[in-house]
Amino acid sequence: MKIRRTLVSLTAMATVASLAACAAPESDNGSGGGDSDAASATSAKDLGGLDALVEAAQEEGELNVIALPPDWANYGEVISTFEDKYDIKVNSDQPTAASQEEINAAKELKGTKRAPDVFDLGQSVALANTDMFAPYQVETWDTIPEEFKAPDGEWVNDYGGYMAIGYDSAVVPDVTEVADLLKPEFKGKVALNGDPTQAGAAFSGVMMAAIAQGGSPDDIAPGVDFFADLKKAGNFLTVDPDSTTIEQGTTPVVIDWDYLGAAAAANVDTWKTVVPSEAVVAGYYYQAINADAPHPAAARLWQEFLYSDEGQNLWLKGGARPVRGESMAEAGTIDAKLWDALPEVTGDPVIPSNEQTETAGAYLAKNWSKAIR
């Protein structure tokens, strides 16, 4: 089957995925959120409307984001646009850490001005930590599909994509299926984005391999076995890939989200990305506000910006599929050129349930390190 440009046609929760981590301004002094009206606001109306929210956020003057590499879903432009639009400084740090590290940072920095204001998390980490999130409904709430948001606004899916294999076609042969990566031509060339026990992108990469090898969302073991075979063949690189390693040629093959492949292609002319039709794994990330945000008004304004037409189109510009894409297309507010340019994906999508994700995560925790050591 051909999958729609957004993942709205999928009725289950999006699969686990993970980003990078931590944020912070420089001072350790000061307390976290909770002492302003914004800290308890569940919508802009609670503060008197969007203009009042903007004013409160500008009084705070700063926003701490976490886990947002600039070349991931166009976050660099998202951040700079927000800064210019509202004259609010965005503090971003440790852009290559994993989702769990976001949560760890929030706990470690709780009560300080250095704590993250907002999160962008993979499924398993997000759903395990909802007690840390502040409910909030953006002004465009009604245009976000019900299956992609918590009823009270504790979390909202933001952008999605498909697990893919990106590769430098000038270095390795064309890839058509996951099994190709075991060939001798790929010796010392295949990297996975992160540790699957920590990072959702890596988790989904192992899930993709599992399905390609006859496994299922209920059985990720074949995926672990595949990477063990990849390591035994000398093909697996224990290098955490990013735009630098791709451009330098250190990681000529990368298992990661399709929109990150699109970002790589912008700087490496010979870079190609394929979503294996025998193992289509789809997923959204989870956006949430830290209940202890030191800048509660800026955190809420950030959400308003991300789910505005402008913010959603900026993610689309990065090759990701914005969660409001379908409704924006119907309303004529989507960037039509970018929307039409999104590649169609052939195959039946796999979206592990929460329970399947937990079971797979437990298996990985026990077996991953043994398989690739």
Side-chain angles (χ1 to χ4, degrees):
M1 63 177 286
K2 286 188 176 179
I3 302 168
R4 296 166 71 184
R5 292 189 183 93
T6 62
L7 309 182
V8 175
S9 58
L10 307 177
T11 57
M13 289 290 183
T15 188
V16 65
S18 156
L19 272 175
C22 187
E26 305 207 346
S27 173
D28 286 324
N29 298 323
S31 60
D35 56 354
S36 74
D37 292 338
S40 59
T42 59
S43 71
K45 290 181 180 179
D46 290 346
L47 294 173
L50 188 58
D51 288 344
L53 175 61
V54 171
E55 183 178 351
Q58 289 176 331
E59 287 180 2
E60 292 173 349
E62 294 183 88
L63 172 76
N64 300 344
V65 299
I66 188 167
L68 307 183
D71 57 354
W72 184 294
N74 198 33
Y75 259 122
E77 187 173 359
V78 171
I79 289 171
S80 63
T81 302
F82 179 83
E83 288 182 315
D84 293 342
K85 185 180 185 72
Y86 296 111
D87 193 24
I88 293 172
K89 179 185 178 183
V90 176
N91 305 296
S92 180
D93 198 10
Q94 300 183 36
T96 60
S99 285
Q100 185 57 51
E101 292 174 292
E102 295 187 49
I103 297 299
N104 295 345
K107 291 179 178 178
E108 292 167 3
L109 298 172
K110 182 177 180 178
T112 77
K113 291 292 187 182
R114 299 182 59 231
D117 289 306
V118 290
F119 301 112
D120 194 338
L121 301 162
Q123 180 190 35
S124 60
V125 174
L127 297 180
N129 293 281
T130 56
D131 60 336
M132 296 178 63
F133 306 156
Y136 187 79
Q137 296 185 6
V138 294
E139 289 196 329
T140 57
W141 181 259
D142 290 343
T143 65
I144 300 170
E146 295 296 326
E147 61 265 37
F148 297 121
K149 59 189 179 185
D152 63 357
E154 283 181 339
W155 56 262
V156 188
N157 290 145
D158 41 22
Y159 55 87
Y162 297 91
M163 186 50 49
I165 300 171
Y167 62 97
D168 189 339
S169 61
V171 178
V172 297
D174 281 340
V175 177
T176 59
E177 59 183 9
V178 174
D180 288 341
L181 302 183
L182 289 169
K183 294 177 179 179
E185 294 91 336
F186 294 86
K187 190 175 182 66
K189 293 181 172 64
V190 183
L192 177 67
N193 190 358
D195 179 339
T197 67
Q198 295 277 328
F203 176 100
S204 294
V206 179
M207 182 62 73
M208 178 183 71
I211 294 165
Q213 299 300 306
S216 71
D218 293 307
D219 181 17
I220 200 172
V224 176
D225 293 341
F226 174 82
F227 278 93
D229 290 342
L230 205 65
K231 180 71 183 296
K232 185 178 180 180
N235 293 11
F236 185 53
L237 285 171
T238 55
V239 175
D240 199 359
D242 58 23
S243 58
T244 300
T245 66
I246 289 173
E247 290 172 28
Q248 292 178 344
T250 307
T251 56
V253 182
V254 176
I255 298 172
D256 209 342
W257 297 109
D258 61 343
Y259 48 86
L260 298 184
N267 297 313
V268 179
D269 293 340
T270 50
W271 193 263
K272 296 182 179 180
T273 301
V274 60
V275 177
S277 61
E278 80 276 18
V280 180
V281 175
Y284 270 108
Y285 281 88
Y286 285 58
Q287 190 73 217
I289 296 171
N290 184 0
D292 295 301
H295 309 104
R300 286 155 176 78
L301 182 60
W302 173 253
Q303 301 301 306
E304 294 286 359
F305 176 70
L306 293 181
Y307 291 95
S308 69
D309 291 347
E310 183 177 14
Q312 296 277 291
N313 273 319
L314 286 173
W315 274 329
L316 176 62
K317 187 176 180 180
R321 294 162 172 81
V323 73
R324 293 184 54 240
E326 291 287 345
S327 65
M328 289 172 59
E330 292 175 4
T333 58
I334 200 80
D335 186 317
K337 183 177 181 180
L338 294 175
W339 183 247
D340 292 340
L342 285 175
E344 291 184 325
V345 178
T346 301
D348 294 322
V350 171
I351 313 96
S353 68
N354 297 345
E355 293 76 14
Q356 289 169 330
T357 296
E358 290 173 1
T359 299
Y363 184 87
L364 287 169
K366 292 180 180 179
N367 296 281
W368 176 254
S369 62
K370 293 184 293 184
I372 54 101
R373 65 185 175 187

